[in-house]
Amino acid sequence: MIKITFPDGQVREFENGITPFQVALSISEGLARNVLAANLNGEVVDSSTPIEADAALQLLTWNDADGKKTFWHSSAHLLAEAIEALYPGTKFGIGPAIENGFYYDIDLGEQEFGSDQFKAIEDKMLELARTKNEYVRTSVSKADAISYFQEKGDEYKLELIDGLADGSITFYNQGNFTDLCRGPHIPNTGFIKSVKLLSVAGAYWRGDEKRKQLTRIYAITFPKAKELEEYLTLLEEAKRRDHRKLGKEMELFAFSEKVGMGLPLWLPKGTLLRERLENFLRRAQVRAGYSPVITPHIASKELYVTSGHYAKYGKDSFQPIRTPDENEEFFLKPMNCPHHCEIYKTKPRSYKDLPLRLAEFGTVYRYEQSGELHGLTRVRGFTQDDAHIFCRPDQVEDEFMKVIDLVLYVFKALGFDSYSAQVSLRDKENREKYIGNDEDWDRAESAIIRSAEAKGLPTVIEYGEAAFYGPKLDFMVKDALGRKWQLGTIQVDYQLPQRFELEYTGSDNMKHRPVMIHRAPFGSLERFVAILIENTAGNFPLWLSPDQIAVLPISEKYEDYANELYLRLQEKDLRGYVDHRNEKMGRKIRDAEIAKVPFMIVVGEKEQAEGIVSVRKKGDGDVGSMTLDAFIAMAQEEIQSLTYEK
């Protein structure tokens, strides 16, 4: 007999060799019908895997993230089977699950393919799903695996096999399709009840622009048809909220091929939006004791050699900038932290000077492959609301908790109410990708966990997600469409102070090493704005709107009065425009609504004669007539309440 421990702590005895499916069946037939896979001692496995020793077991269904991932990875195999049936001779790259659905990279040779073929593939997938073919795992020797794909003529699978050790190779078969795969998979194809192919794109093999471009097919599946319908409705809403679409319509930002891919141009209204976000955080930082700094956009290569960034990312960065002096090499700044270390070193520091908090809205540049660029969420040049806190070891947890407070303050002000905190730690096994010793890492990881607990912050732990120089606390924000984004981050770093030989004189008159805390509540300002646009559908809170007010004169006779009102609004730091167009009032109001202007002030004969304004609010319609001073007071009160500045 073996003992199995369930997530709730319950322990039960079973016969040696029992499978997760059989365990589920012993609990209830309903549960067994819904089990897709299992988490066995921290590893996701097939539900048919024999359990041969005492173990911790979690049965995975569609309601679990790993259950969905297994479902979608299995669906990728079903997609491949359908494609092979409809397009004989197709060669296959990889087909992983992604956050929503899955994709498969394929080489169709000379065969044409486009979205008009989607329906035929969807129908074939559903036909194959109804056969309820089992996903069967088989261990294969390296020689047999090579022989199989040589005979099939699939060079992509052969290249993947080349990097695998003999004895670790497995095939999965369902129906007439066999694939190289480590698994796990759902029990059979019958679980897949609804299918939708979403898009097709080009993708270089193994992400290498010098390799062949394959066809990448994105798709999604569900265990119920109703769930697909709900997802497609959500997808339509996502298209309506797409920050690329709204950013263009609202004249916030643009891209230019001549400027370069992934390098956004901020238009006047977008610049106002950015400035308001920056000023909001600047005020909060001043209150929290931060000092502003500015560092150059380029730096000597030696700076990043010292920090360790060059060894880790040099090959994937923009290449060196050379000068007429052959001994000089500069890099576009990929991060701000090494610069801040050099600012720390500009003069001797005492324990009384710490913590030292340096803050910068610093633009950095990182080379992203063209296929990975996406609006503002993935760019090559972006601005971080970066700050680095240099503190004594005994100050780390207190400073860390203060940063948590600042991040949550920002989220509350911007309406991000749904978020989770992820403690990103080292990989349990592969320690080669990190710098520093275990003792420092243990101290840093413990400080993060204790600080989060002290603030009552619910967290999940993810191993292998730490930065190369230290662990971090990442804030995962869920937007209005239920999608998760990593925004704010806080990191504890014992390594860079060592590499830059940072010191302070302690109360014992001896030299000591400070600890460094990296933090960025917004993260990338570009990504933050993109998510903010989509979360609000462009309906920004009043304090943040580029155009807060549209003054709408009924006719040109009232333009002087409209201009006079607008000047008084500007004096009170309320911004917008006067619509001087020779258009009907209905059109002016409609255009202001489309432009998502929060308030409209309508002025005509009555308003001018009585010295008042008629106010409309987006979404609420007519608010009524009032004096301009009364309107200004109302607007300012709303701004103060939304930015927590009272």
Side-chain angles (χ1 to χ4, degrees):
M1 303 294 287
I2 58 173
K3 293 181 179 179
I4 292 179
T5 304
F6 293 92
D8 63 359
Q10 181 184 1
V11 179
R12 291 179 56 185
E13 288 194 344
F14 294 90
E15 287 189 11
N16 189 313
I18 193 170
T19 68
F21 173 78
Q22 291 168 333
V23 171
L25 194 60
S26 74
I27 298 171
S28 78
E29 289 188 6
L31 175 60
R33 283 195 299 271
N34 289 297
V35 168
L36 301 175
N39 186 312
L40 186 64
N41 295 327
E43 180 185 358
V44 182
V45 300
D46 297 327
S47 64
S48 58
T49 302
I51 307 172
E52 298 174 331
D54 292 351
L57 178 69
Q58 179 187 5
L59 300 168
L60 301 174
T61 70
W62 175 253
N63 295 323
D64 301 295
D66 283 330
K68 282 188 173 73
K69 185 177 180 180
T70 304
F71 187 94
W72 283 329
H73 180 48
S74 302
S75 300
H77 282 234
L78 186 66
L79 169 64
E81 183 182 7
I83 289 172
E84 191 167 70
L86 295 172
Y87 301 90
T90 298
K91 300 172 184 179
F92 296 91
I94 59 172
I98 54 178
E99 185 176 0
N100 285 301
F102 55 94
Y103 69 78
Y104 218 122
D105 290 341
I106 63 174
D107 183 351
L108 288 155
E110 300 301 317
Q111 300 179 89
E112 296 291 328
F113 185 82
S115 57
D116 51 342
Q117 276 88 41
F118 283 6
K119 180 66 166 57
I121 294 174
E122 291 167 356
D123 290 345
K124 188 66 176 177
M125 288 179 69
L126 289 173
E127 176 191 326
L128 294 169
R130 285 191 289 269
T131 62
K132 298 184 179 180
N133 286 320
E134 292 184 7
Y135 288 89
V136 180
R137 177 188 176 100
T138 309
S139 294
V140 184
S141 70
K142 191 164 187 174
D144 287 345
I146 291 171
S147 176
Y148 177 84
F149 283 107
Q150 279 180 338
E151 184 176 344
K152 196 174 182 183
D154 196 327
E155 66 265 30
Y156 305 106
K157 297 297 182 183
L158 288 169
E159 185 175 329
L160 294 172
I161 292 169
D162 187 55
L164 300 176
D166 200 358
S168 67
I169 299 172
T170 55
F171 282 2
Y172 271 86
N173 169 265
Q174 92 273 358
N176 295 317
F177 183 72
T178 299
D179 206 350
L180 171 72
C181 184
R182 68 170 61 95
H185 286 285
I186 61 177
N188 64 69
T189 61
F191 283 79
I192 301 168
K193 299 289 198 252
S194 56
V195 175
K196 184 67 177 178
L197 270 60
L198 300 172
S199 63
V200 61
Y204 293 105
W205 172 234
R206 308 203 102 170
D208 187 344
E209 294 180 1
K210 297 177 182 178
R211 307 290 297 274
K212 184 170 183 179
Q213 189 175 68
L214 306 182
T215 299
R216 176 170 292 180
I217 301 174
Y218 289 94
I220 196 165
T221 54
F222 291 92
K224 295 179 182 178
K226 181 183 178 182
E227 289 178 323
L228 175 59
E229 293 172 9
E230 292 171 350
Y231 177 77
L232 293 177
T233 299
L234 200 63
L235 210 58
E236 286 303 311
E237 179 64 12
K239 289 178 182 178
R240 187 178 74 83
R241 291 170 176 259
D242 191 314
H243 76 277
R244 295 167 299 176
K245 170 179 173 289
L246 290 176
K248 183 177 181 179
E249 292 174 356
M250 298 176 70
E251 299 180 358
L252 300 177
F253 60 88
F255 289 91
S256 163
E257 290 185 7
K258 289 185 178 179
V259 171
M261 298 176 66
L263 300 171
L265 300 171
W266 289 91
L267 306 180
K269 291 181 181 180
T271 301
L272 278 173
L273 175 66
R274 273 186 58 139
E275 285 181 348
R276 286 178 180 161
L277 282 171
E278 290 181 13
N279 290 336
F280 162 70
L281 187 56
R282 281 193 179 99
R283 289 193 296 270
Q285 288 178 162
V286 167
R287 291 196 298 270
Y290 287 82
S291 299
V293 295
I294 297 175
T295 60
H297 288 257
I298 64 172
S300 168
K301 172 183 172 181
E302 290 307 310
L303 181 71
Y304 306 114
V305 171
T306 300
S307 70
H309 289 97
Y310 180 76
K312 291 289 180 181
Y313 306 119
K315 293 180 180 179
D316 299 322
S317 298
F318 286 100
Q319 293 307 293
I321 301 168
R322 302 192 182 277
T323 73
D325 184 341
E326 63 181 17
N327 296 315
E328 286 186 323
E329 277 189 319
F330 289 86
F331 269 86
L332 283 170
K333 180 171 63 174
M335 64 284 300
N336 301 299
C337 36
H339 299 250
H340 292 189
C341 288
E342 288 298 301
I343 290 176
Y344 180 93
K345 292 181 70 174
T346 55
K347 67 177 185 179
R349 307 286 178 178
S350 159
Y351 73 98
K352 295 180 180 179
D353 299 324
L354 304 183
L356 175 67
R357 308 179 186 95
L358 303 178
E360 175 179 17
F361 286 90
T363 301
V364 297
Y365 304 89
R366 299 178 188 175
Y367 182 76
E368 300 281 357
Q369 294 187 14
S370 58
E372 299 296 323
L373 299 175
H374 182 82
L376 293 180
T377 60
R378 186 66 70 89
V379 290
R380 289 175 172 170
F382 57 94
T383 302
Q384 293 180 306
D385 57 323
D386 223 351
H388 298 93
I389 303 166
F390 301 89
C391 60
R392 304 190 308 264
D394 63 293
Q395 296 172 322
V396 170
E397 290 183 33
D398 185 54
E399 287 299 309
F400 200 94
M401 287 188 282
K402 288 177 181 177
V403 177
I404 290 176
D405 289 337
L406 181 62
V407 172
L408 299 184
Y409 169 80
V410 169
F411 286 179
K412 185 177 181 182
L414 274 302
F416 290 111
D417 300 321
S418 180
Y419 56 84
S420 59
Q422 174 180 302
V423 180
S424 299
L425 306 179
R426 288 170 295 175
D427 191 294
K428 288 184 176 180
E429 298 177 0
N430 181 11
R431 298 294 172 88
E432 294 180 2
K433 56 184 179 178
Y434 308 104
I435 61 175
N437 60 57
D438 287 343
E439 184 181 351
D440 286 342
W441 273 87
D442 290 341
R443 285 204 300 264
E445 291 176 345
S446 297
I448 290 177
I449 293 170
R450 285 197 300 267
S451 298
E453 288 176 350
K455 298 303 296 183
L457 195 66
T459 59
V460 295
I461 292 178
E462 291 290 343
Y463 292 95
E465 295 298 318
F468 77 91
Y469 50 77
K472 53 183 180 169
L473 184 69
D474 291 323
F475 288 84
M476 314 301 291
V477 173
K478 186 178 287 188
D479 67 15
L481 298 172
R483 299 169 300 185
K484 282 187 177 181
W485 300 90
Q486 190 265 310
L487 290 181
T489 185
I490 321 172
Q491 305 166 5
V492 177
D493 179 7
Y494 282 81
Q495 311 311 321
L496 288 190
Q498 291 183 23
R499 296 180 77 95
F500 281 92
E501 299 180 342
L502 306 185
E503 294 178 338
Y504 67 90
T505 302
S507 58
D508 57 1
N509 211 32
M510 302 291 288
K511 296 296 184 183
H512 299 273
R513 192 81 70 202
V515 182
M516 193 172 175
I517 297 176
H518 307 240
R519 52 111 282 206
F522 291 148
S524 155
L525 198 55
E526 281 71 13
R527 175 178 286 187
F528 193 92
V529 169
I531 297 164
L532 184 64
I533 291 171
E534 297 189 2
N535 198 49
T536 62
N539 297 305
F540 302 120
L542 180 61
W543 70 272
L544 195 55
S545 296
D547 287 325
Q548 297 168 311
I549 297 152
V551 183
L552 312 178
I554 291 175
S555 72
E556 63 181 15
K557 290 191 298 182
Y558 310 108
E559 286 186 358
D560 288 344
Y561 182 54
N563 291 334
E564 177 189 330
L565 294 174
Y566 184 60
L567 285 173
R568 289 173 60 191
L569 291 167
Q570 284 184 306
E571 290 171 357
K572 299 297 183 180
D573 200 29
L574 294 170
R575 301 186 181 279
Y577 60 90
V578 179
D579 191 339
H580 291 297
R581 295 178 302 162
N582 186 24
E583 295 283 356
K584 292 182 178 179
M585 183 52 60
R587 174 65 182 272
K588 289 183 177 183
I589 291 173
R590 185 167 62 253
D591 288 349
E593 289 270 358
I594 293 172
K596 303 184 185 297
V597 181
F599 281 106
M600 286 155 271
I601 291 178
V602 179
V603 293
E605 182 178 0
K606 177 184 176 183
E607 288 77 17
Q608 180 172 284
E610 298 180 14
I612 58 173
V613 293
S614 293
V615 180
R616 294 181 61 87
K617 187 173 184 180
K618 179 173 170 53
D620 294 340
D622 186 18
V623 175
S625 298
M626 62 189 76
T627 65
L628 186 64
D629 287 341
F631 169 73
I632 289 171
M634 180 178 73
Q636 289 178 334
E637 182 179 359
E638 182 171 329
I639 288 170
Q640 288 177 333
S641 66
L642 289 171
T643 54
Y644 304 92
E645 294 292 340
K646 282 188 175 179

